[in-house]
């Protein structure tokens, strides 16, 4: 099989890193795999990581197209994806997240008939998405919800490469020393892209929680970059000034953040980052939006297995609940060790990259086997277009051809 993996951007993030891990795993089983991604000014670090892993990268420079309510469909990227499929002779496109899924649907799928598999690691599956073709989601709840209006999607929880995300093979001590963190200090680690929609609010709340705890042993280490970096840095500066010490440390983004995971005593995170922290044997508090936080433990794991390692709170941004959750772990070293060991075993048993790759192979096989005809593709294209307001983007000749084909 020749597989083209489409990423919604080439910056560091959970979805991109999961996609890259799975792409390498599929390649290692004998398939030809290439990465497609777009960038605005210069390709992001994921392009370099893909090349280091031996995967060819098709990076397309693209600036936002002014399409009003028609976004996020991007005709320029749809054309670029079609060219990439032709040049690479791809049998299948695996698109990660909504924007690339629509680019692929209105590009190589409608024009060439190339099957498209889509992975959605968000909190919902929109009803406007194409109702055939492979779909992968990350929670059992999304499987149930999406199954109400389309064939049930496959469940692939964010996979973890437990061979490399392993405290036995990564040294966190040098990371601590490089940031002036002593052996007796307790590190609360966050590895996250800092962006306003899903991540920054929880990270800002974590800074306020550490300030509230006012424990001289604590260091909150935030690893990551993104559009909200300046806001997070300003909040960190205020906390450090109030506490009279560098309690909050921002390292910036790291191409390989494994030392940051290994250096932590307690992890804060969501999604794939939360699972990677557990793979390193670190006790975890899961962050979300609108004030959500919850300790990951045997008595709470059913929630996370159903809804994913994320959550939506009631809008109360008071940092006190998060401070209490962290304080429980800070004050009990034995509990930290027990929770860390339990989390590591959970990831080994349920979230391994090998199991995820096997499920993905089954999704690919079905997508290659069940290819819709031209009429079905056009009908579904019109349905999605009507919902998203895209019909006006089609040239008049294309609209006339569609009318003739559909009678």
């Amino acid at each position: 099989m020749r597989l083209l993996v489409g990423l919604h951007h080439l910056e560091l993030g959970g979805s991109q890193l999961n996609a890259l891990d799975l792409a390498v795993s599929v390649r290692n089983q004998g398939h030809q795999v290439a990465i497609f991604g777009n960038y605005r000014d210069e390709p992001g670090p994921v392009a370099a990581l893909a090349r280091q892993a031996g995967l060819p990268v098709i990076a397309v420079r693209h600036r936002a197209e002014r399409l009003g309510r028609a976004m996020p469909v991007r005709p320029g990227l749809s054309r670029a994806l079609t060219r990439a499929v032709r040049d690479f002779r791809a049998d299948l496109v695996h698109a990660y997240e909504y924007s690339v899924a629509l680019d692929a649907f209105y590009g190589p799928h409608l024009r060439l008939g190339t099957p498209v598999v889509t992975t959605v690691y968000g909190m919902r599956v929109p009803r406007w998405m194409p109702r055939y073709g492979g779909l992968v989601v990350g929670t059992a709840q999304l499987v149930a919800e999406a199954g109400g209006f389309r064939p049930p999607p496959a469940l692939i929880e964010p996979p973890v490469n437990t061979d490399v995300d392993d405290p036995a093979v990564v040294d966190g001590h040098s990371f601590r020393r490089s940031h002036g963190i002593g052996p007796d200090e307790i590190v609360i680690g966050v590895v996250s892209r800092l962006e306003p929609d899903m991540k920054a609010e929880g990270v800002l709340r974590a800074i306020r929680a550490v300030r509230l705890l006012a424990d001289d042993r604590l260091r909150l280490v935030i690893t990551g970059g993104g559009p909200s970096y300046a806001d997070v840095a300003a909040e960190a500066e205020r906390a450090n000034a109030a506490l009279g010490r560098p309690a909050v440390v921002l390292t910036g983004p790291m191409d390989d953040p494994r030392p940051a995971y290994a250096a932590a005593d307690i992890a804060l995170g969501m999604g794939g980052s939360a699972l990677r922290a557990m793979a390193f044997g670190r006790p975890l508090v899961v962050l979300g939006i609108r004030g959500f936080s919850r300790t990951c433990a045997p008595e709470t794991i059913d929630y996370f297995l159903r809804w994913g390692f994320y959550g939506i709170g009631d809008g109360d941004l008071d940092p006190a609940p998060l401070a209490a959750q962290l304080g429980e772990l800070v004050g009990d070293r034995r509990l930290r060790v027990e929770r860390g060991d339990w989390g590591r075993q959970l990831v080994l048993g349920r979230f391994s990259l090998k199991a995820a790759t096997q499920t993905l192979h089954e999704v690919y096989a079905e997508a290659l086997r069940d290819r819709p005809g031209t009429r079905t593709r056009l009908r579904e294209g019109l349905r999605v277009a009507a919902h998203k307001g895209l019909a006006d983007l089609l040239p008049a000749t294309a609209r006339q051809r569609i009318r003739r084909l559909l009678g």
Side-chain angles (χ1 to χ4, degrees):
M1 178 180 62
R2 299 182 68 86
L3 172 68
L4 185 65
V5 176
L7 306 181
H8 65 303
H9 59 69
L10 294 168
E11 300 300 323
L12 289 173
S15 178
Q16 296 88 283
L17 293 174
N18 287 335
L20 189 55
D21 279 343
L22 284 166
V24 170
S25 183
V26 170
R27 188 276 313 275
N28 290 347
Q29 295 192 5
H31 303 288
Q32 300 295 314
V33 183
I35 302 295
F36 176 94
N38 73 93
Y39 64 94
R40 181 172 179 176
D41 297 314
E42 60 182 23
V46 171
L49 291 175
R51 292 189 180 103
Q52 289 170 14
L55 297 176
V57 176
I58 304 168
V60 176
R61 187 172 184 175
H62 177 264
R63 295 189 180 274
E65 300 173 39
R66 295 185 177 276
L67 301 175
R69 70 190 184 97
M71 292 295 284
V73 170
R74 301 162 293 186
L77 280 177
S78 287
R79 292 190 293 270
L81 261 170
T82 303
R83 288 193 300 271
V85 165
R86 284 183 172 135
D87 293 344
F88 186 64
R89 306 192 311 279
D91 302 304
L92 180 73
V93 175
H94 187 169
Y96 281 78
E97 310 304 343
Y98 309 135
S99 54
V100 185
L102 283 179
D103 295 334
F105 185 87
Y106 283 98
H109 181 67
L110 279 187
R111 297 179 186 186
L112 308 177
T114 308
V116 176
V117 169
T118 301
T119 289
V120 175
Y121 277 142
M123 296 297 290
R124 66 187 185 91
V125 176
R127 289 179 176 268
W128 52 256
M129 286 192 69
R131 293 183 178 176
Y132 63 74
L135 177 63
V136 176
V137 297
T139 71
Q141 180 63 26
L142 282 180
V143 172
E145 290 180 2
F149 58 87
R150 54 154 293 138
L155 173 63
I156 299 181
E157 292 154 321
V160 180
N161 188 342
T162 52
D163 292 335
V164 297
D165 291 336
D166 184 342
V169 300
V170 182
D171 175 28
H173 298 294
S174 59
F175 178 92
R176 292 174 71 113
R177 287 194 300 270
S178 67
H179 293 286
I181 300 170
D184 295 330
E185 293 183 289
I186 298 174
V187 172
I188 301 171
V190 182
V191 180
S192 175
R193 179 165 167 79
L194 303 176
E195 52 87 23
D197 292 334
M198 297 176 65
K199 310 289 180 65
E201 182 256 289
V203 175
L204 291 170
R205 196 157 23 94
I207 296 174
R208 293 163 191 152
V210 167
R211 180 174 172 177
L212 197 62
L213 286 168
D215 186 327
D216 289 345
R217 299 173 299 165
L218 292 185
R219 301 288 290 274
L220 174 62
V221 180
I222 301 167
T223 300
S228 296
Y229 184 89
D231 293 336
V232 173
E235 187 67 28
E237 186 175 347
R238 286 190 288 269
N240 289 341
L243 294 171
R245 62 186 184 88
V248 183
V249 178
L250 274 70
T251 72
M254 296 176 65
D255 289 347
D256 180 3
R258 291 181 300 154
Y261 287 110
D265 298 291
I266 300 168
L268 281 168
M270 60 182 69
S273 180
L275 289 166
R276 292 187 78 184
M278 292 173 72
F280 277 91
R282 301 305 180 250
L284 172 70
V285 177
V286 177
L287 293 175
I289 58 172
R290 293 179 54 81
F292 179 91
S293 65
R294 187 171 296 184
T295 303
C296 185
E299 59 269 22
T300 62
I301 190 60
D302 286 347
Y303 172 89
F304 296 118
L305 294 180
R306 180 166 182 80
W307 297 93
F309 288 77
Y310 190 67
I312 302 174
D314 59 7
D316 184 355
L317 303 184
D318 182 358
L322 176 56
Q325 291 156 356
L326 291 172
E328 179 188 23
L329 292 168
V330 168
D332 192 335
R333 185 181 184 280
R334 182 176 177 180
L335 179 63
R336 295 200 299 270
V337 172
E338 289 175 354
R339 291 273 176 83
D341 291 344
W342 168 81
R344 169 80 179 164
Q345 292 306 311
L346 176 69
V347 170
L348 287 172
R350 179 164 179 140
F351 297 97
S352 74
L353 185 61
K354 293 177 183 178
T357 304
Q358 179 57 42
T359 302
L360 195 56
H361 269 111
E362 296 167 5
V363 175
Y364 288 164
E366 185 176 356
L368 289 166
R369 183 175 62 249
D370 300 334
R371 296 170 181 260
T374 301
R375 187 179 292 250
T376 299
R377 299 201 307 270
L378 289 173
R379 273 209 178 92
E380 190 64 5
L382 287 175
R383 186 192 68 79
V384 176
H387 191 99
K388 295 293 290 177
L390 305 180
D392 292 341
L393 294 177
L394 298 174
T397 53
R399 293 199 298 270
Q400 291 169 4
R401 181 169 178 247
I402 290 170
R403 291 191 188 100
R404 287 198 301 273
L405 286 170
L406 295 180

